[in-house]
Amino acid sequence: MAKTVIFLFHDDNSSLEAGSHVAERIRQVAEGQGVELEIFCFGPAQAALTEESDDPVRAGYRHQIEALTRDGVEVHACLNAANAVGTAEALISRGVTLEYARDAFVRYALEGAAVISF
């Protein structure tokens, strides 16, 4: 089975919206195409998962990530970053799995994953 990773880093509205939308669209066809989908949120995009904002794009991003976890997509974020700013519990409550970014990136290389960044 092939693996595709959506790597969400930037927190501008275009990146959050496009990255989460592309992840959903891939999810819709992944199983039928023999593709495993995973999402890794890091840096500013990780922070956007727990921020309070009335911006509809940012709220939509958070809701889309939660929907993807409910649909069985593994969503990961950096454990070290979450611990540094006290958001670990909030991320876990949204269905996000925490792991060290360095470990995830090495794992993606060993798995031969295609990583698409936003």
Side-chain angles (χ1 to χ4, degrees):
M1 179 175 279
K3 183 167 197 170
T4 298
V5 176
I6 301 296
F7 176 56
L8 300 168
F9 179 81
H10 299 286
D11 73 345
D12 61 277
N13 283 357
S14 295
S15 294
L16 296 175
E17 188 171 45
S20 60
H21 178 76
V22 167
E24 169 56 22
R25 298 293 286 164
I26 291 171
R27 184 205 60 79
Q28 293 170 1
V29 299
E31 185 176 345
Q33 297 292 322
V35 172
E36 179 185 356
L37 174 63
E38 185 174 321
I39 299 167
F40 195 92
C41 302
F42 191 54
Q46 179 173 332
L49 285 175
T50 57
E51 74 179 7
E52 295 299 323
S53 173
D54 294 330
D55 182 307
V57 171
R58 294 170 108 58
Y61 165 68
R62 290 189 303 275
H63 293 290
Q64 183 64 63
I65 295 299
E66 290 171 355
L68 286 159
T69 64
R70 284 192 304 273
D71 286 335
V73 176
E74 287 192 39
V75 177
H76 296 250
C78 180
L79 173 61
N80 195 46
N83 285 338
V85 296
T87 58
E89 288 183 29
L91 289 165
I92 291 168
S93 73
R94 293 183 188 274
V96 175
T97 300
L98 299 176
E99 73 175 305
Y100 293 109
R102 62 157 195 237
D103 296 342
F105 299 152
V106 168
R107 180 169 50 82
Y108 299 148
L110 293 172
E111 294 170 343
V115 180
I116 304 167
S117 299
F118 290 89

